[in-house]
Amino acid sequence: MFTRIRRLLSQLFNNSRTVNNEPLNKVSLIVIILVDIFILINVFTGLGNISQWHLSPNQAYPCYSEWNNYKTQTTKNKDYEFLRSSLPYGNNQQRIRQTYQDTEIGHLGKVSEICLNYGESKDKLNNPQNQEILTTINQTQDQINKLEQANTTIRNQYDSTLLEKIAGQSSENSINQVRAEKAKQELTQNSQKISKLKQEIANLQNQLLTKPESINLLSFVKDETKFNQVAKGYKDASFWYPSIQLVFQAIFLLPLILMALLVNNFSQSKGYGLIALISWHLLVIFIIPLILKVFEFLQVGAIFQLLFNIISFFFGGLVFLISYAYILLIPLVGFGMIKFFQTVVFNPKFQVVSRIQKSRCIRCAKKIRPQDNHCPHCGYYQYVECHNCHNLTYKELPYCHHCGADQNVATGGRS
């Protein structure tokens, strides 16, 4: 296994820095690196764009977050606070339902019908009468804030005036604008105004709560059946969304990988060194993001959730055991990917068969004569002695071309 990994890495670096088995000069190497960086940036940009092609859970269920916040609130005045947050301030006529539907444009997937109905109920709440009530409440609250600030100032000055009076200082020399005799009177008047304004706010709040559109919206959000459907859909979408993203990212990358691989094989067979170099770099650039996205999926996708649920069920709060599971799982996945590329994508036996049929070097794929034992381009020895007839036969081929003996028997299955 390690021999194959070392051979694969050696081939990777050799193919990345040579043209026709000659090392790249410094200028060419810099150009190649700049091209690699440019392409890699665009690859990740494309991956980011295609990963957002399908509606995210928040886009498919836009009402879940604020609906869930309302359900978890325990404040006494939560109905009014919910209506207040549902009314955009400043006569904003943007329609919530239409905003939800607009997210479907240019995306796959559909917005929840329940959330669309929820948005329609909020749109009905947003009318001029309710906007006027909300504006009046805000203005009244501003008056209360000003009166409370004035009372705070008066109390501070009142305490200071009392100290001056105890010390025997005359009122002409006082640094305060309010005398002690008048401070209490102003405090009382302001407190009475504040109490009256608070009552006006309470009346306006009750007026808003009793509006038919308010009653309909509150009845909607208090419907447990609808909320449970939205909550279940949101959780299911959150579970599968990383998997959907990985599928789309693979759809984006696999054609590029296949195209680069075909061009690389073709250019090697024809001896087009520069094209082989560029296509090899492209192949590596396309494979690296795919590997990164696979590991990212393993960290946040369905497999992670499955491990989390299993460990939580059997071991309770020992969620840190997930790290142990990944320490074992990730290397296995990595070795599996190396095995796949080694045996399928870069299988030397498949390459050897094609190269021998075309009279090319087993290692570098350059054109050689049939009688050449060593490649004149890379110096690689092309033959091995058959264990049965002791004649020279091609390396890597399973049978001797003289006697037909199985070469894997003698090598113990060595490839």
Side-chain angles (χ1 to χ4, degrees):
M1 171 63 73
F2 292 104
T3 302
R4 292 184 177 181
I5 295 175
R6 187 167 58 251
R7 187 190 305 169
L8 181 63
L9 292 177
S10 176
Q11 181 183 3
L12 171 67
F13 288 113
N14 183 64
N15 291 348
S16 300
R17 62 192 181 196
T18 59
V19 177
N20 295 327
N21 293 314
E22 296 181 1
L24 283 173
N25 58 63
K26 294 180 180 179
V27 175
S28 299
L29 187 59
I30 292 174
V31 172
I32 286 291
I33 292 174
L34 292 176
V35 171
D36 289 346
I37 294 173
F38 175 79
I39 294 176
L40 194 60
I41 291 173
N42 282 274
V43 167
F44 277 105
T45 301
L47 287 174
N49 292 334
I50 199 170
S51 67
Q52 299 173 4
W53 193 10
H54 195 280
L55 290 176
S56 69
N58 289 327
Q59 291 173 322
Y61 297 90
C63 62
Y64 172 75
S65 179
E66 57 187 63
W67 200 343
N68 186 58
N69 290 337
Y70 171 80
K71 302 293 288 186
T72 55
Q73 280 185 1
T74 57
T75 57
K76 181 179 178 181
N77 208 24
K78 75 172 189 176
D79 284 351
Y80 166 73
E81 293 298 332
F82 174 75
L83 294 177
R84 179 187 180 91
S85 63
S86 301
L87 270 172
Y89 188 62
N91 294 321
N92 189 342
Q93 297 301 318
Q94 185 178 12
R95 315 308 293 176
I96 304 299
R97 180 186 174 98
Q98 187 61 45
T99 302
Y100 289 169
Q101 284 184 319
D102 288 345
T103 58
E104 295 181 357
I105 300 174
H107 292 86
L108 297 178
K110 293 290 184 181
V111 177
S112 166
E113 190 64 31
I114 296 177
C115 285
L116 293 177
N117 294 334
Y118 171 85
E120 186 175 353
S121 297
K122 291 183 69 174
D123 289 336
K124 292 179 180 178
L125 180 70
N126 184 20
N127 56 54
Q129 294 80 13
N130 293 336
Q131 285 286 350
E132 184 178 353
I133 292 174
L134 182 61
T135 301
T136 305
I137 290 175
N138 291 332
Q139 292 173 349
T140 306
Q141 185 61 50
D142 290 340
Q143 295 179 31
I144 292 175
N145 294 338
K146 291 178 182 179
L147 290 171
E148 288 178 342
Q149 182 62 39
N151 281 354
T152 300
T153 303
I154 291 172
R155 287 190 184 94
N156 293 335
Q157 293 181 354
Y158 178 68
D159 294 338
S160 178
T161 303
L162 287 178
L163 292 175
E164 292 173 353
K165 196 170 185 180
I166 293 172
Q169 182 175 326
S170 63
S171 59
E172 290 80 5
N173 297 325
S174 175
I175 61 174
N176 298 305
Q177 298 178 355
V178 180
R179 294 183 179 181
E181 293 78 9
K182 295 183 179 180
K184 187 174 182 180
Q185 182 181 358
E186 291 188 18
L187 283 172
T188 302
Q189 291 176 351
N190 288 345
S191 297
Q192 290 175 350
K193 291 179 181 179
I194 289 173
S195 178
K196 182 179 178 181
L197 292 174
K198 285 184 176 180
Q199 184 59 45
E200 291 179 5
I201 288 179
N203 293 335
L204 290 171
Q205 290 177 353
N206 289 329
Q207 183 179 348
L208 181 62
L209 287 168
T210 55
K211 290 279 188 176
E213 53 272 20
S214 300
I215 295 174
N216 290 336
L217 179 58
L218 291 173
S219 299
F220 194 99
V221 297
K222 292 177 181 179
D223 190 329
E224 292 291 338
T225 302
K226 289 187 175 67
F227 175 76
N228 290 337
Q229 291 178 12
V230 170
K232 182 179 183 304
Y234 179 84
K235 292 177 181 178
D236 291 343
S238 299
F239 179 83
W240 290 110
Y241 188 60
S243 304
I244 294 173
Q245 286 183 304
L246 179 63
V247 169
F248 282 120
Q249 289 167 344
I251 291 174
F252 175 81
L253 285 173
L254 289 178
L256 297 175
I257 294 173
L258 181 61
M259 187 182 305
L261 181 61
L262 292 176
V263 171
N264 182 261
N265 290 336
F266 176 78
S267 58
Q268 284 188 352
S269 65
K270 296 296 185 181
Y272 302 150
L274 184 58
I275 297 177
L277 174 68
I278 294 175
S279 60
W280 174 258
H281 275 256
L282 292 177
L283 181 61
V284 174
I285 287 174
F286 298 149
I287 289 177
I288 288 175
L290 180 61
I291 294 175
L292 293 177
K293 293 301 177 181
V294 169
F295 284 122
E296 181 182 325
F297 166 75
L298 292 175
Q299 194 65 31
V300 299
I303 296 177
F304 173 81
Q305 291 294 333
L306 181 61
L307 286 175
F308 180 85
N309 293 335
I310 292 174
I311 292 176
S312 299
F313 178 78
F314 286 104
F315 300 101
L318 302 179
V319 182
F320 65 87
L321 293 176
I322 294 178
S323 298
Y324 286 114
Y326 270 103
I327 290 173
L328 298 175
L329 178 63
I330 297 301
L332 291 177
V333 173
F335 282 123
M337 295 178 69
I338 292 173
K339 184 69 174 178
F340 170 77
F341 286 111
Q342 183 70 18
T343 58
V344 178
V345 180
F346 303 109
N347 191 321
K349 291 185 178 180
F350 296 160
Q351 294 176 342
V352 165
V353 171
S354 175
R355 290 171 182 177
I356 290 176
Q357 290 175 346
K358 298 176 181 178
S359 296
R360 295 184 180 275
C361 173
I362 292 175
R363 171 184 282 179
C364 69
K366 298 296 187 299
K367 192 77 173 178
I368 61 175
R369 297 174 301 176
Q371 65 269 26
D372 290 338
N373 292 337
H374 292 82
C375 175
H377 305 284
C378 67
Y380 186 72
Y381 187 59
Q382 307 291 305
Y383 300 100
V384 67
E385 182 180 326
C386 173
H387 68 92
N388 183 50
C389 67
H390 303 290
N391 289 314
L392 294 180
T393 186
Y394 290 107
K395 285 184 178 180
E396 304 293 346
L397 289 187
Y399 299 99
C400 173
H401 72 275
H402 293 286
C403 66
D406 188 350
Q407 300 301 299
N408 291 325
V409 173
T411 58
R414 180 180 57 87
S415 59

